[in-house]
Amino acid sequence: MPGGPGAPSSPAASSGSSRAAPSGIAACPPSPPPLARGSPQASGPRRGASVPQKLAETLSSQYGLNVFVAGLLFLLAWAVHATGVGKSDLLCVLTALMLLQLLWMLWYVGRSYMQRRLIRPKDTHAGARWLRGSITLFAFITVILGCLKVAYFIGFSECLSATEGVFPVTHAVHTLLQVYFLWGHAKDIIMSFKTLERFGVIHSVFTNLLLWANSVLNESKHQLNEHKERLITLGFGNITIVLDDHTPQCNCTPPALCSALSHGIYYLYPFNIEYQILASTMLYVLWKNIGRRVDSSQHQKMQCRFDGVLVGSVLGLTVLAATIAVVVVYMIHIGRSKSKSESALIMFYLYAITVLLLMGAAGLVGSWIYRVDEKSLDESKNPARKLDVDLLVATASGSWLLSWGSILAIACAETRPPYTWYNLPYSVLVIVEKYVQNIFIIESVHLEPEGVPEDVRTLRVVTVCSGEAAALAASTLGSQGMAQDGSPAVNGNLCLQQRCGKEDQESGWEGATGTTRCLDFLQGGMKRRLLRNITAFLFLCNISLWIPPAFGCRPEYDNGLEEIVFGFEPWIIVVNLAMPFSIFYRMHAAAALFEVYCKI
């Protein structure tokens, strides 16, 4: 008996109708019958198991935020000389947080060693080798910084508390163990003791962020004192003459050595700042990966080749050499006299305008190549990539805040010095260049890498279409992404939807013709070589633009125009808040561009 109108009369008819479906449209199979209550694949227990995991994630994140807020209040109290809060109290809190993290890392490493024979899932996108190499370099300089602080403490031991000697030693041990931990476990996907591990990892994240904030505060105080001394030299002592100096109130023997140590410490702070923020980002990815299910398709290992990038490397190294020269001349002339200060500012603005124009042009060319050479996007879930993109946009807001402040100050100022007309295009170009560069990087990291098999791309389309994390077994896919019986590959109620209609197909042919005409001169390896040169040039330029603000070349401090319009203290607060994000943006953009270079 027929099963009703529209139903196939027999299983054979049903199979035939399925095969008769056009190849471009995959027919959606009927939903499978509900599983038994006791079945291990039933959805009920899986939903119930996710509730405590989500609760643990919420509780751990709130714990971490409370630790961070409390630590920031301690930092603020010390910065404003609050009654009853001294530097020793602040260092005691930071030391206690580091010791607690050390205990957790030792427990985790020991438990991992005892279970080393177990096969554990890994996130191949997290903890790239070049990233771990970078954090190792910054950690090595951080340990040197700790040694200088210990020597400084020994020189002033008569009037310094013991905590100022214990803190750098604890920080050095914390740094060494944390680098070892990140090298061995940054890719881990933790599937046991998940609640405890969430609290341990999030505690580590915010401990590193507090250490980063402490370093930023110390470095900003040093920069502010130098800025006040320059204002006094230039005759602006009526703005402020009080130096926020924390020099110990006793003599150091020998004085020359102590002075050298004091200055050397602040030149190493930029590397310590980068180390802390990189460590916190890697630990955050580890926290996001706790309990996560990864798909069976792992991305191919990227191998970086450094051939064929002569033009981009030469241009980038030229910019790097010019940056070092400009920073040296700037630091020598700024604050010496009014004329020398204005000439130093004009020199810096002209140099920066040139570099930003070249970087903006390179980013536009790279984005145009992506526009005319359409590729599929990698839509797979990737916490490391999502964090990179979010940080890229968020940290760019620091420079945008400073640039818009300068533009507003130029528009509202009653008198405008000669260097003002160089400051205006510089501020505009900072906004435009970061906007263009962000588009280029974000589009690059979301493209499918070269050489990804077609069956993996089809698998990702199926996963995105279903909205679930379950992956289709690659063994059921043929070379063209089809099942072994010739029908479109489906899994349960997954289906490949028709991507384009007849009108889209016609417009696609027209677009393909136009694309072919645009890329006639970029056939073969020319397109890839051009993109790699652009990426190498942008990579070196971002490192070059990281150097001036990191080592004291900050025209936002020294031109005086914004301070006259907004007031000294409001503008200094804005600069001190925005400058660390602006500095980190350049290093983070350089890291993202290195990954883009390896994908091309």
Side-chain angles (χ1 to χ4, degrees):
M1 293 178 63
S9 59
S10 65
S14 175
S15 175
S17 62
S18 176
R19 289 193 182 95
S23 60
I25 307 175
C28 294
S31 300
L35 296 174
R37 184 183 298 267
S39 174
Q41 297 180 355
S43 59
R46 289 175 59 183
R47 288 199 193 98
S50 64
V51 173
Q53 294 180 16
K54 190 66 178 177
L55 180 61
E57 181 178 349
T58 304
L59 290 175
S60 62
S61 61
Q62 293 184 68
Y63 162 77
L65 287 173
N66 276 279
V67 170
F68 186 61
V69 170
L72 285 181
L73 283 177
F74 266 97
L75 286 169
L76 179 62
W78 173 69
V80 300
H81 307 284
T83 305
V85 180
K87 189 174 183 179
S88 60
D89 301 320
L90 172 65
L91 296 181
C92 283
V93 172
L94 294 177
T95 303
L97 292 175
M98 286 191 292
L99 289 175
L100 187 58
Q101 182 186 345
L102 282 172
L103 291 176
W104 172 77
M105 287 192 296
L106 288 173
W107 179 81
Y108 184 87
V109 171
R111 190 173 63 85
S112 299
Y113 179 78
M114 296 298 294
Q115 300 176 352
R116 62 187 181 277
R117 298 177 182 235
L118 297 179
I119 299 176
R120 299 180 177 180
K122 299 285 185 179
D123 182 3
T124 56
H125 296 276
R129 184 166 297 181
W130 61 268
L131 182 58
R132 288 177 287 172
S134 301
I135 203 174
T136 303
L137 173 62
F138 291 137
F140 175 73
I141 300 177
T142 299
V143 172
I144 296 177
L145 175 63
C147 295
L148 294 180
K149 285 186 175 182
V150 171
Y152 184 79
F153 167 76
I154 294 173
F156 288 101
S157 58
E158 296 180 359
C159 54
L160 291 179
S161 64
T163 54
E164 299 199 33
V166 174
F167 174 78
V169 175
T170 308
H171 193 196
V173 175
H174 173 269
T175 300
L176 293 174
L177 182 58
Q178 185 167 251
V179 170
Y180 172 79
F181 175 83
L182 291 175
W183 264 98
H185 304 283
K187 296 177 179 292
D188 288 1
I189 296 180
I190 301 172
M191 303 301 294
S192 60
F193 295 96
K194 288 181 282 190
T195 300
L196 178 62
E197 303 297 5
R198 287 185 192 277
F199 279 88
V201 178
I202 205 66
H203 175 86
S204 303
V205 170
F206 285 104
T207 297
N208 279 275
L209 284 178
L210 284 175
L211 293 172
W212 169 78
N214 179 59
S215 299
V216 167
L217 180 60
N218 283 280
E219 198 267 345
S220 298
K221 279 180 171 290
H222 178 73
Q223 293 291 339
L224 183 57
N225 284 335
E226 288 189 348
H227 173 56
K228 291 177 179 179
E229 292 174 355
R230 292 169 185 169
L231 289 177
I232 295 173
T233 303
L234 294 174
F236 293 101
N238 57 341
I239 297 179
T240 178
I241 58 175
V242 179
L243 298 179
D244 191 8
D245 195 6
H246 290 273
T247 304
Q249 302 299 320
C250 61
N251 295 326
C252 174
T253 54
L257 178 60
C258 293
S259 177
L261 288 175
S262 178
H263 287 84
I265 286 173
Y266 289 103
Y267 281 111
L268 296 182
Y269 262 121
F271 302 98
N272 178 35
I273 291 171
E274 296 299 332
Y275 162 75
Q276 301 294 169
I277 199 70
L278 283 177
S280 62
T281 55
M282 293 179 70
L283 289 165
Y284 177 78
V285 173
L286 179 64
W287 181 74
K288 291 293 292 184
N289 277 332
I290 294 177
R292 187 170 74 90
R293 297 186 179 184
V294 294
D295 55 3
S296 58
S297 61
Q298 299 291 339
H299 79 296
Q300 295 181 342
K301 293 184 177 180
M302 295 180 294
Q303 297 181 354
C304 294
R305 300 176 58 186
F306 299 98
D307 55 331
V309 290
L310 180 62
V311 177
S313 300
V314 169
L315 289 176
L317 291 174
T318 302
V319 172
L320 181 60
T323 301
I324 297 174
V326 167
V327 170
V328 171
V329 174
Y330 184 93
M331 299 301 294
I332 292 175
H333 285 81
I334 196 70
R336 300 298 178 182
S337 65
K338 186 176 180 180
S339 60
K340 289 185 177 181
S341 295
E342 290 184 353
S343 62
L345 288 168
I346 293 175
M347 175 198 64
F348 176 84
Y349 285 136
L350 288 175
Y351 146 81
I353 288 171
T354 304
V355 174
L356 292 172
L357 281 174
L358 293 175
M359 293 177 66
L364 286 175
V365 172
S367 298
W368 175 78
I369 293 176
Y370 287 141
R371 292 275 71 77
V372 298
D373 184 25
E374 296 182 357
K375 289 185 178 180
S376 58
L377 296 179
D378 181 4
E379 299 291 347
S380 59
K381 186 177 180 181
N382 188 339
R385 181 178 61 196
K386 183 178 184 302
L387 178 62
D388 287 340
V389 172
D390 292 342
L391 285 177
L392 201 66
V393 178
T395 55
S397 61
S399 294
W400 291 337
L401 177 62
L402 295 176
S403 296
W404 282 112
S406 297
I407 293 172
L408 183 60
I410 294 170
C412 299
E414 297 179 358
T415 59
R416 298 175 179 84
Y419 58 80
T420 301
W421 306 114
Y422 300 95
N423 187 8
L424 179 61
Y426 164 76
S427 301
V428 173
L429 284 173
V430 166
I431 298 172
V432 175
E433 183 272 330
K434 289 191 175 181
Y435 193 88
V436 172
Q437 182 171 259
N438 287 348
I439 293 176
F440 174 71
I441 294 176
I442 293 172
E443 189 168 11
S444 299
V445 299
H446 279 87
L447 288 177
E448 288 277 9
E450 296 288 343
V452 176
E454 188 66 27
D455 56 351
V456 175
R457 297 184 183 182
T458 305
L459 173 63
R460 285 173 176 164
V461 173
V462 173
T463 305
V464 173
C465 175
S466 68
E468 300 178 359
L472 187 62
S475 60
T476 62
L477 295 174
S479 60
Q480 301 297 328
M482 307 292 291
Q484 295 178 358
D485 60 353
S487 61
V490 294
N491 182 13
N493 61 345
L494 308 182
C495 63
L496 288 176
Q497 297 179 351
Q498 186 180 14
R499 301 305 301 264
C500 58
K502 186 175 181 181
E503 297 179 358
D504 295 335
Q505 187 175 5
E506 294 177 357
S507 61
W509 279 108
E510 295 176 358
T513 305
T515 301
T516 304
R517 293 174 181 174
C518 291
L519 290 178
D520 283 341
F521 70 98
L522 292 178
Q523 295 301 322
M526 182 63 67
K527 175 178 65 67
R528 181 181 299 179
R529 190 177 298 113
L530 181 58
L531 285 172
R532 294 175 70 182
N533 275 279
I534 290 173
T535 307
F537 172 71
L538 291 176
F539 168 78
L540 291 171
C541 285
N542 277 278
I543 293 180
S544 301
L545 293 181
W546 173 80
I547 294 175
F551 292 94
C553 182
R554 302 179 180 181
E556 296 85 359
Y557 268 139
D558 300 323
N559 59 36
L561 185 65
E562 293 87 350
E563 296 169 2
I564 295 174
V565 175
F566 294 104
F568 178 80
E569 292 184 357
W571 180 247
I572 290 301
I573 292 174
V574 170
V575 173
N576 286 336
L577 290 176
M579 187 61 69
F581 297 99
S582 177
I583 295 174
F584 175 70
Y585 171 84
R586 290 300 176 187
M587 188 59 68
H588 183 63
L593 286 164
F594 186 84
E595 185 175 356
V596 170
Y597 177 87
C598 294
K599 288 181 63 176
I600 298 176

